[in-house]
Amino acid sequence: MHKSRHHQFKPENPWFLAMAMVGLIGGVLLIASFLRGNDSSALFCGGGGGSRQWVTRNETELQLEAILHYATSKVIPQQNIDEIRISFDVLRSLSPCNFLVFGLGHDSLMWASFNPRGTTLFLEEDPRWVQTVLKDAPGLSASTVNYRTKLSDADNLLSHYRTEQDCSPTKSFIRGNSKCRLALNMLQDEVYDKEWDIIMIDAPRGYFPDAPGRMSAIYSAAVMARNRKSPGVTHVYLHDVDRKVEKMYAETFLCKKHLVKAVGRLWHFEIPPATNMNSEFC
């Protein structure tokens, strides 16, 4: 996502991956039209009430825009087709759902089109990049995040977590949590007010010492999942687990016992709500 504009992922056959993306998005669009049944005529015009018709048309426009983009662009998503399919399968079963994505990039249209009628929100570190992406894809929802961390501080932040009471799982809050440096405490209210069914962590940048790193994103995702009140688990996806920090923080906060699938550089966790807030993260 965010990283892809600096280090573009180049599979052996990028044309095949681009066509696969078109196929996945086209499949979502086809399934959605069948699910609407007798209202399928409202897909483009006519039938149904005004507000429902407007929402349906917006959904379709987003999906068609995604198909056009990936059919004609030489820039492809950072994740490979096998990694993408893991998230796609869950989105297909849960959509419409609440989908929170750390990172805004060349794959954002794809993720949003996989969740028609749902809420898909992208959290991005670079405000200029947000403007660049939204200029070409104004239908996306994105918010800027001011991270308080640096990748070079990853080890010290783990020590901080173990000694700072407001970081402990017994506290388990992030809104307004200024003492815990791992807590993303200054996000927009929508992030805190919603319960997120799926959280994708593919940003912020974490490949040079002064980059924010993904430590606070992983910690905050774990807290959100533990605080879930709705039935079911929170699906958390973490990319680039071949890197030391991502792996270390995943094993500390997302937990190997919650890991349900690993493909390529992507780990998929299913994290249940915490039945005992006095318990440790893992």
Side-chain angles (χ1 to χ4, degrees):
M1 288 183 190
H2 188 288
K3 188 182 73 174
S4 62
R5 69 179 187 269
H6 299 288
H7 294 279
Q8 184 179 333
F9 174 70
K10 297 181 179 179
E12 293 181 2
N13 193 339
W15 178 249
F16 171 78
L17 180 55
M19 289 300 97
M21 292 304 98
V22 173
L24 282 176
I25 296 167
V28 171
L29 186 58
L30 182 61
I31 291 169
S33 66
F34 276 116
L35 290 177
R36 292 187 180 97
N38 292 333
D39 288 332
S40 61
S41 60
L43 205 58
F44 296 102
C45 60
S51 60
R52 186 174 186 273
Q53 187 176 358
W54 171 253
V55 171
T56 302
R57 185 159 52 245
N58 280 348
E59 296 162 13
T60 306
E61 287 175 355
L62 180 63
Q63 291 169 327
L64 291 176
E65 183 180 351
I67 291 173
L68 177 63
H69 171 77
Y70 294 111
T72 58
S73 176
K74 294 181 180 179
V75 181
I76 57 177
Q78 178 181 333
Q79 296 182 27
N80 65 41
I81 186 65
D82 293 328
E83 294 168 340
I84 291 169
R85 185 167 287 280
I86 297 178
S87 309
F88 169 75
D89 288 341
V90 173
L91 278 163
R92 183 172 56 180
S93 66
L94 294 182
S95 182
C97 65
N98 294 329
F99 184 20
L100 183 65
V101 184
F102 285 88
L104 182 70
H106 302 299
D107 49 4
S108 297
L109 264 177
M110 175 189 70
W111 294 126
S113 69
F114 287 167
N115 188 31
R117 294 176 292 151
T119 297
T120 303
L121 176 63
F122 299 91
L123 301 180
E124 166 62 35
E125 65 179 283
D126 186 349
R128 291 175 299 178
W129 180 243
V130 171
Q131 294 176 0
T132 298
V133 174
L134 295 188
K135 181 179 179 181
D136 295 329
L140 299 179
S141 296
S143 177
T144 303
V145 181
N146 295 316
Y147 288 94
R148 299 188 286 167
T149 57
K150 287 186 178 181
L151 182 66
S152 57
D153 295 329
D155 290 333
N156 290 335
L157 286 168
L158 273 185
S159 300
H160 165 74
Y161 149 70
R162 295 187 179 102
T163 57
E164 174 54 59
Q165 185 178 2
D166 281 2
C167 289
S168 71
T170 58
K171 291 285 186 176
S172 201
F173 75 104
I174 51 177
R175 187 189 333 226
N177 190 345
S178 58
K179 292 184 178 180
C180 179
R181 293 166 59 198
L182 285 170
L184 293 176
N185 66 331
M186 297 179 68
L187 302 176
Q188 64 186 66
D189 288 339
E190 181 183 9
V191 179
Y192 306 120
D193 294 339
K194 283 188 181 296
E195 290 198 338
W196 300 98
D197 304 296
I198 304 175
I199 302 175
M200 173 74 71
I201 304 171
D202 205 356
R205 292 171 296 171
Y207 53 90
F208 60 95
D210 286 336
R214 299 180 186 172
M215 300 83 68
S216 57
I218 294 170
Y219 172 86
S220 298
V223 172
M224 292 179 195
R226 284 171 59 86
N227 288 343
R228 183 181 180 90
K229 300 297 188 296
S230 303
V233 300
T234 302
H235 296 268
V236 178
Y237 296 90
L238 176 62
H239 199 225
D240 296 317
V241 294
D242 55 319
R243 301 195 302 212
K244 176 185 174 181
V245 169
E246 276 80 355
K247 184 177 181 180
M248 177 171 61
Y249 272 74
E251 292 175 347
T252 302
F253 298 111
L254 302 179
C255 314
K256 274 294 186 73
K257 65 183 178 182
H258 300 319
L259 179 63
V260 295
K261 191 169 289 187
V263 174
R265 297 179 294 141
L266 185 77
W267 281 356
H268 173 201
F269 300 85
E270 292 182 359
I271 303 178
T275 55
N276 179 7
M277 281 299 180
N278 291 321
S279 64
E280 296 298 319
F281 282 100
C282 298

